Amino acid sequence: MKSKNILLIVTLLVMSILLSACSSAIYASTSWHGLTASTDTVYLAAGTQVYAIDLNTGSERWRYPPDKPNAKGFYANPVLTADGQLIVAGYDHKLYSLNAATGTENWVFADSSNRLIGSPLVTETMIYQPSADGHLYAIDITGKQVWAHETGGPLWAQPVSDPDCACIFVASMDHMVYSYNAQTGEPLWKSEDLGGALTGTPAYSTDGILFIGTFGKEMIALDATNGQVKWRFSTQDWVWSGPAFANNVLYFGDLSGYFYALNASDGTQLWRIQPNNTIVATPLVVGDKIYFATEADTLYTVSTAGDIVQSKVIGGTLYGSPVLAGETLLVAPINSDVLLVALTTNGDQKWTFTPAKK
Amino acid sequence: MDIWSTFILTPMVNVLIWIYNFLFHNFGLAIIFFTILIRLITYPLTAQQLKGQSKMQELQSSKKWQDIQKKYKDNKEKLAQEQMNIYKEMGINPLGSCLPLIIQFPIMIGLYQSITLAMASAPIQLLTLSRDLYSFIPASALIPLNSNFLWMNLGQPEIANPLLKIAGFAVPILTIIVVLTTYLQSKLMTPPPANPGDQSAQMSKMMNLYMPILMGWIAYSLASGLALYFIVSNVLGIAQYAIMGKLNWSNLLPKKKVASKTG
């Protein structure tokens, strides 16, 4: 009888593991890696750990947590403050301040009741952290909450600010953009329903226009003073990330793999290409070159006229934006043997980073 | 896209979101309605399973069956051979009651997955969902789904937003209901054993004990939307058996305990 019981328990255990695996495979905290860089260090939020990596050599300087990995994970782009903090958002609902030089923990903000998927906006004195619980948390640089406001949906996008009017703008998945007074948190305006969820950081032009891509298959320009729609441009598919804005031109991709250049003044299309596969991330504009990654595994370099100058196969899956640090171009693939690839601006590989096992 | 996604997961997630669109954009109601729908679709399998179960029970309480159990109790090989002969004679498939249950298992997994995928609480899930939606789903207007239902966020474990806290500890109300309804379902739907002391009766007894714990653990640790599904599914299962007149209320009575002890 005992052996029958053992068999039954083993069967149930296997079943429970199977059920959990089936469910958690989908439910798991899955995203792509976050990336930022200073003049000499790259900071990579690579799921269970945050790594500080020497920009010149690709060697690891420190990792956080130093011992046991954080099971929930870090995925948002970390952000550096002027006083040497590295602010890292966690899927464990917590916002961490680390010493950027050593990786030691300064403080932890734990008031969010859901995941922190988007990166914080950091100003000289404040940190604005969006949360999937729908709140925008304004925290001072010592980690104390100053104000918080709830929108009608999860917040996945990094906010943007306009220092001239001391305004904060945040795009919500409830299809609206919200504006708050940066100091007091006083709500200034909210836009109309823009027809689809908003997960990208709006681009902001100094003449007071916000540009935001939507799941309603549109790029929309809003008047930053009152949230009124100025123009709309229809895309082929959902626009996941915000556009890059340079020289009055907007550059962005959609999930069908189209890459667009629009006149920012009136939303007219300048050109459109479809290199291959889904485009999720915001492109990087450097001079007359535009860098963007496609899901398939390739980093493209395009001229401002829309000609593909170069395509570099990185490997893995590319969802994150490329980052430029000095003369080094950084790309963080997922589903790859390496966590980070460093290239010259011409696309030649400098180094790759794979963490040593500890 | 793999076979599993094409034929199970994608259709299920689309139906679920389609229901959500009609049920006031309430994901809790959508899960309840969807579970009812799945129960209706799998009704023939459940009926077949019950039929097989009844036949088997009838057989096991027959004199012929009892006789060979006694006769070959020391010869397992011969016993198995004789049992197979009786199955053949009476036209019973010994797997007849298990097979429909096994077929339902992937449907159950597909249901879990479609609920978690539809809630798309992380970027890669949402990207996956964006590709899985059929063109008749007004995805732009619906995404993200409103996952709030009663006091819960259906995309998160219940204890992330507890309704009740006692001495600082979150009380997992849904988990408790899952455990209770799973236990009730197991007890009420287990047919009375032909021989309370035999191995299959003991196995059933153990299942009745372990299954609620297992389901409770899953309900506690995963998204509360799944716990809601378990509860609705359990209640519907009990109701379905009640309508078919197959509920075994005697299993809940204390006298059975005495019977099993003596067996």
Side-chain angles (χ1 to χ4, degrees):
Chain A
M1 196 60 224
K2 267 187 181 176
S3 63
K4 288 273 181 188
N5 282 347
I6 290 166
L7 182 70
L8 183 67
I9 291 166
V10 169
T11 309
L12 284 170
L13 273 175
V14 169
M15 206 170 104
S16 67
I17 290 165
L18 188 68
L19 285 175
S20 305
C22 287
S23 304
S24 59
I26 283 182
Y27 183 64
S29 306
T30 46
S31 186
W32 41 93
H33 300 160
L35 184 62
T36 196
S38 67
T39 51
D40 61 355
T41 308
V42 185
Y43 301 96
L44 179 70
T48 55
Q49 282 179 307
V50 179
Y51 297 94
I53 301 152
D54 186 295
L55 177 63
N56 294 317
T57 63
S59 57
E60 181 180 325
R61 287 189 165 160
W62 54 256
R63 65 175 68 183
Y64 176 86
D67 306 314
K68 196 179 167 197
N70 180 324
K72 299 278 184 181
F74 307 104
Y75 295 99
N77 290 331
V79 182
L80 287 160
T81 66
D83 64 348
Q85 297 181 57
L86 183 74
I87 309 297
V88 188
Y91 269 36
D92 59 358
H93 310 181
K94 293 174 185 166
L95 185 69
Y96 295 82
S97 164
L98 307 179
N99 181 319
T102 61
T104 53
E105 196 176 288
N106 295 321
W107 50 259
V108 177
F109 174 79
D111 284 6
S112 169
S113 62
N114 206 334
R115 292 170 173 173
L116 303 181
I117 292 174
S119 294
L121 165 72
V122 173
T123 64
E124 271 187 29
T125 54
M126 295 284 283
I127 296 160
Y128 301 93
Q129 177 61 50
S131 167
D133 70 10
H135 287 83
L136 178 64
Y137 294 96
I139 304 153
D140 70 19
I141 53 167
T142 64
K144 292 185 180 65
Q145 183 176 308
V146 178
W147 55 262
H149 272 291
E150 188 174 15
T151 67
L155 298 179
W156 286 14
Q158 184 183 31
V160 286
S161 69
D162 176 5
D164 291 341
C165 71
C167 307
I168 299 294
F169 309 105
V170 66
S172 172
M173 289 180 79
D174 69 0
H175 308 185
M176 296 179 204
V177 176
Y178 293 76
S179 174
Y180 300 101
N181 179 297
Q183 266 85 47
T184 63
E186 179 199 351
L188 300 175
W189 53 259
K190 72 173 178 181
S191 72
E192 62 184 84
D193 186 323
L194 297 176
L198 312 170
T199 52
T201 301
Y204 181 69
S205 75
T206 47
D207 54 350
I209 309 293
L210 288 164
F211 304 99
I212 181 86
T214 79
F215 285 11
K217 303 180 185 176
E218 283 185 309
M219 178 57 63
I220 297 175
L222 299 176
D223 186 331
T225 59
N226 55 23
Q228 296 294 309
V229 174
K230 289 186 79 79
W231 54 255
R232 290 175 182 263
F233 172 81
S234 291
T235 57
Q236 199 68 32
D237 208 334
W238 292 7
V239 181
W240 190 283
S241 293
F245 175 73
N247 301 318
N248 205 41
V249 179
L250 299 170
Y251 302 99
F252 62 96
D254 70 18
L255 296 192
S256 285
Y258 285 96
F259 189 78
Y260 305 83
L262 303 187
N263 181 329
S265 300
D266 56 10
T268 51
Q269 182 177 298
L270 301 174
W271 48 262
R272 181 178 90 161
I273 55 173
Q274 190 186 23
N276 77 353
N277 229 290
T278 297
I279 300 168
V280 169
T282 299
L284 169 71
V285 182
V286 182
D288 59 355
K289 287 181 181 169
I290 306 141
Y291 300 91
F292 66 92
T294 62
E295 181 187 44
D297 65 357
T298 307
L299 180 71
Y300 284 91
T301 311
V302 180
S303 73
T304 49
D307 301 315
I308 295 175
V309 177
Q310 191 180 49
S311 61
K312 169 81 180 174
V313 175
I314 301 293
T317 310
L318 302 180
Y319 290 127
S321 299
V323 167
L324 185 72
E327 294 296 308
T328 305
L329 201 56
L330 300 155
V331 187
I334 59 169
N335 307 324
S336 169
D337 293 337
V338 298
L339 292 185
L340 189 61
V341 178
L343 308 163
T344 66
T345 49
N346 292 324
D348 299 323
Q349 187 172 300
K350 291 173 93 171
W351 49 260
T352 61
F353 173 73
T354 305
K357 283 185 181 164
K358 282 194 175 176
Chain B
M1 199 183 280
D2 55 30
I3 293 171
W4 173 259
S5 294
T6 308
F7 294 106
I8 305 280
L9 185 56
T10 304
M12 276 188 165
V13 82
N14 278 277
V15 171
L16 182 59
I17 294 178
W18 185 75
I19 293 168
Y20 168 87
N21 191 25
F22 281 97
L23 287 181
F24 321 108
H25 293 191
N26 184 315
F27 199 55
L29 290 181
I31 290 175
I32 293 169
F33 189 83
F34 189 51
T35 312
I36 294 170
L37 195 69
I38 293 290
R39 276 277 173 183
L40 285 175
I41 292 168
T42 56
Y43 177 78
L45 293 173
T46 314
Q48 199 187 330
Q49 179 195 341
L50 265 179
K51 206 173 151 190
Q53 218 171 46
S54 303
K55 267 189 174 179
M56 188 64 83
Q57 206 189 337
E58 210 175 290
L59 171 72
Q60 286 177 352
S61 53
S62 69
K63 188 168 181 309
K64 197 173 182 182
W65 184 268
Q66 305 286 350
D67 287 348
I68 64 157
Q69 300 295 323
K70 279 178 197 157
K71 192 172 175 185
Y72 301 111
K73 66 178 180 187
D74 297 324
N75 187 347
K76 298 267 180 200
E77 205 176 315
K78 183 70 181 164
L79 178 65
Q81 202 181 340
E82 286 298 316
Q83 283 176 346
M84 282 310 290
N85 287 340
I86 297 178
Y87 287 142
K88 271 183 195 168
E89 270 174 38
M90 297 185 69
I92 292 175
N93 179 357
L95 294 177
S97 59
C98 285
L99 210 58
L101 196 69
I102 291 166
I103 293 169
Q104 284 181 62
F105 198 62
I107 296 172
M108 200 164 77
I109 291 174
L111 196 75
Y112 297 151
Q113 290 192 337
S114 58
I115 290 170
T116 47
L117 182 61
M119 285 185 286
S121 53
I124 288 181
Q125 290 171 4
L126 187 52
L127 265 180
T128 308
L129 181 66
S130 75
R131 289 167 181 145
D132 283 353
L133 294 173
Y134 297 149
S135 55
F136 66 83
I137 300 286
S140 297
L142 295 180
I143 303 294
L145 305 188
N146 172 17
S147 55
N148 294 321
F149 181 64
L150 301 177
W151 70 94
M152 297 162 281
N153 179 338
L154 297 171
Q156 290 194 301
E158 185 199 2
I159 47 161
N161 306 290
L163 177 68
L164 185 64
K165 275 189 174 183
I166 295 176
F169 289 99
V171 180
I173 296 172
L174 279 193
T175 304
I176 293 167
I177 301 174
V178 166
V179 171
L180 285 176
T181 54
T182 310
Y183 179 76
L184 269 178
Q185 183 180 238
S186 308
K187 285 294 245 184
L188 291 172
M189 287 161 56
T190 307
N195 292 309
D198 76 3
Q199 285 186 345
S200 64
Q202 291 298 322
M203 287 279 275
S204 296
K205 205 175 156 190
M206 296 297 283
M207 281 290 275
N208 290 347
L209 183 70
Y210 292 136
M211 208 57 184
I213 296 170
L214 166 70
M215 300 310 270
W217 174 68
I218 294 173
Y220 180 81
S221 48
L222 298 180
S224 52
L226 302 180
L228 179 65
Y229 157 69
F230 287 147
I231 293 170
V232 178
S233 187
N234 288 345
V235 171
L236 285 175
I238 294 169
Q240 201 173 358
Y241 269 56
I243 291 165
M244 294 160 89
K246 297 286 182 186
L247 283 190
N248 183 23
W249 295 102
S250 61
N251 270 3
L252 291 179
L253 300 176
K255 65 176 181 183
K256 267 294 166 198
K257 275 187 183 172
V258 178
S260 64
K261 270 178 195 167
T262 54

